[in-house]
Amino acid sequence: MRFSESRNTTRWVIIFISFLIISLILWNTYTFFQIFKNEERLKMKLFVNAQITIVNADENTDVELPLQIFSNNTSIPVVLILYDKVVSAKNVPEEILNDKKKRKVFLNKLKNENEPITFEYAPGKYQTLYYGNSALLNKLKYYPVALLLIIFLCVALIYNFYKSTKMATQNKLLAGMAKETAHQIGTPLSSLIGWVEILKTEDIDQSITVEIEKDVERLQTITDRFSKIGSVPVLEPHDIVAETLNTYEYLQSRFSKQVTFSYQVPEKPIFALINPTLHSWTIENLVKNAIDAMRGKGTLDLYIEKDLHHIKINVKDSGSGISKNQFKTIFEPGFTTKKRGWGLGLSLTKRIVEEYHNGNIKVLNSEIGKGTTFQIIYETTNPI
């Protein structure tokens, strides 16, 4: 407990320091931006003084320095206006200066970037200097945005790595628990098998022992399922129609008569590479999920279709239905609409079908208040 609290404290300290560093970088960037902006305004004031000197120059005025100030400006766009006419311009494309509409839009853009400087170049005569940001200043302006984007991507990468690591750890833990559960069930199950053999020798109704034997075999199947979690299953050609019906009919005999079971399947065997134990688990999960959706009362249909290379197993119920925005989320671990349960049934089913059998499972269709159809698709080993 203390280790967990210490680890959480360290995590929050790291997050706080990271945000502090980010804030300092952004604050420094903003400070640099303001410094450069003020420096550029000082340059423009020098530009204005140089313009006043040149306008009022006579034969004795030294204009070498003002002209040098003009020529040294190679990055800041400048437009000098007198009575809505361009007196001079620097670092501005000619097509903008020659087009009145474009020039007006461009001047408004410069005005938004920096406050124009209006100056008196002669008694009662004024000119206005419009200037924009240099290329360097514009790059610096967008630097915080780029920095935040990089930080966001790094945080997303770290979060994704942390989430993946956590899920991998949880999967290992669940696999270990499942294998240990299978091991623990094995001992009393062996004893039950022995007792069933003794009951067969007693003078009792044999139909009772047959049903008990079926349930013991079912327990063996469940134990086998748990032992296979976390391991790569062996896939072999099996008649998928027969394997599906075995599970379906077993469940039919164990559920309430208020649920009407029906099925339509091909008469000929259809072979596919499956693990019978895990395939049985998928059918059981779909049937139980359907019965839960119907609240123990309704119609459950199983129908199997085959095309050239695939077999399609459809399980249709007359339950409450699923909204379209939940078609994908219902397969996520932890998703459940029931008051009880961990929401692992459909998630485990998807993993068995898609990761272990290279198949596909989806909600074929669903309508609120009328029911849902789930579909499993496998490749067959005996194409038509």
Side-chain angles (χ1 to χ4, degrees):
M1 183 69 177
R2 289 181 179 178
F3 173 75
S4 178
E5 290 176 355
S6 175
R7 186 170 60 182
N8 287 332
T9 302
T10 303
R11 186 181 302 158
W12 282 110
V13 169
I14 293 173
I15 292 173
F16 174 76
I17 292 174
S18 300
F19 275 106
L20 182 62
I21 292 172
I22 294 168
S23 300
L24 288 173
I25 293 173
L26 293 176
W27 180 77
N28 278 317
T29 304
Y30 176 77
T31 303
F32 290 151
F33 180 81
Q34 293 301 321
I35 291 172
F36 290 149
K37 198 171 183 68
N38 291 334
E39 287 184 354
E40 289 192 354
R41 191 163 186 86
L42 289 175
K43 289 180 181 179
M44 290 301 99
K45 287 181 178 180
L46 290 175
F47 193 96
V48 166
N49 291 331
Q51 175 69 12
I52 294 173
T53 301
I54 291 175
V55 170
N56 297 299
D58 55 26
E59 64 274 6
N60 298 319
T61 305
D62 184 5
V63 295
E64 183 178 351
L65 182 59
L67 291 175
Q68 190 175 357
I69 291 174
F70 286 153
S71 61
N72 285 341
N73 177 29
T74 58
S75 60
I76 302 175
V78 174
V79 180
L80 196 60
I81 299 295
L82 176 63
Y83 301 124
D84 294 330
K85 292 184 179 181
V86 178
V87 176
S88 64
K90 184 76 172 179
N91 303 318
V92 180
E94 286 293 331
E95 61 268 18
I96 292 178
L97 296 175
N98 297 331
D99 189 311
K100 190 175 181 180
K101 290 183 179 179
K102 290 183 178 179
R103 186 172 68 241
K104 185 177 181 180
V105 173
F106 184 71
L107 290 177
N108 286 331
K109 175 179 174 293
L110 296 184
K111 187 177 180 180
N112 290 330
E113 291 181 358
N114 296 286
E115 185 66 27
I117 301 174
T118 301
F119 60 95
E120 187 178 18
Y121 66 93
K125 296 181 179 181
Y126 297 90
Q127 290 183 354
T128 303
L129 179 73
Y130 290 84
Y131 72 99
N133 295 328
S134 64
L136 177 62
L137 198 61
N138 282 328
K139 289 179 181 178
L140 191 62
K141 181 172 65 176
Y142 293 113
Y143 175 75
V145 178
L147 181 64
L148 287 173
L149 181 61
I150 292 171
I151 292 169
F152 174 78
L153 292 175
C154 289
V155 169
L157 184 64
I158 292 170
Y159 173 77
N160 186 60
F161 173 77
Y162 172 75
K163 186 177 180 181
S164 300
T165 304
K166 187 177 180 180
M167 287 182 65
T169 303
Q170 289 176 342
N171 287 338
K172 288 181 180 179
L173 179 62
L174 289 173
M177 291 175 62
K179 289 180 181 295
E180 180 61 22
T181 301
H183 177 71
Q184 294 293 334
I185 293 175
T187 302
L189 186 58
S190 299
S191 178
L192 284 173
I193 293 172
W195 283 110
V196 170
E197 294 301 321
I198 293 174
L199 287 174
K200 287 181 179 179
T201 63
E202 299 293 329
D203 186 19
I204 60 174
D205 188 350
Q206 290 300 308
S207 63
I208 296 176
T209 58
V210 169
E211 291 302 317
I212 294 174
E213 193 171 23
K214 286 182 181 178
D215 288 333
V216 170
E217 288 176 357
R218 194 65 182 172
L219 284 173
Q220 286 180 308
T221 301
I222 294 171
T223 304
D224 191 28
R225 289 175 183 173
F226 278 98
S227 67
K228 284 181 169 59
I229 292 180
S231 304
V232 179
V234 177
L235 303 182
E236 296 177 342
H238 289 274
D239 180 5
I240 198 166
V241 176
E243 296 293 342
T244 302
L245 282 181
N246 286 340
T247 303
Y248 193 73
E249 290 176 345
Y250 173 84
L251 293 171
Q252 180 179 1
S253 64
R254 294 301 186 273
F255 279 101
S256 168
K257 299 301 181 183
Q258 290 183 313
V259 178
T260 302
F261 285 75
S262 67
Y263 60 85
Q264 294 179 3
V265 299
E267 296 180 359
K268 295 181 179 180
I270 300 175
F271 290 88
L273 290 175
I274 62 169
N275 181 283
T277 302
L278 294 181
H279 175 69
S280 172
W281 203 351
T282 63
I283 300 302
E284 182 176 328
N285 282 337
L286 290 180
V287 170
K288 288 183 176 179
N289 182 76
I291 293 174
D292 286 338
M294 297 187 295
R295 298 185 178 181
K297 183 179 180 179
T299 302
L300 185 62
D301 300 318
L302 170 75
Y303 54 99
I304 298 177
E305 305 169 318
K306 187 180 186 302
D307 59 22
L308 186 61
H309 296 288
H310 300 90
I311 182 169
K312 300 175 183 179
I313 304 171
N314 304 284
V315 178
K316 180 181 179 182
D317 64 63
S318 59
S320 54
I322 305 168
S323 59
K324 287 187 177 181
N325 59 355
Q326 293 181 331
F327 278 16
K328 292 184 179 180
T329 55
I330 58 171
F331 293 106
E332 294 178 0
F335 181 90
T336 180
T337 57
K338 296 180 290 186
K339 294 182 179 179
R340 296 182 180 181
W342 289 6
L344 296 177
L346 290 176
S347 171
L348 185 60
T349 302
K350 183 178 179 66
R351 183 172 182 178
I352 292 172
V353 171
E354 297 187 353
E355 293 185 21
Y356 291 161
H357 290 90
N358 298 317
N360 182 44
I361 183 171
K362 62 182 179 180
V363 179
L364 184 62
N365 54 65
S366 185
E367 190 173 348
I368 300 298
K370 293 188 176 181
T372 304
T373 302
F374 284 89
Q375 185 179 78
I376 300 174
I377 302 176
Y378 290 137
E379 287 189 6
T380 60
T381 58
N382 55 336
I384 298 174

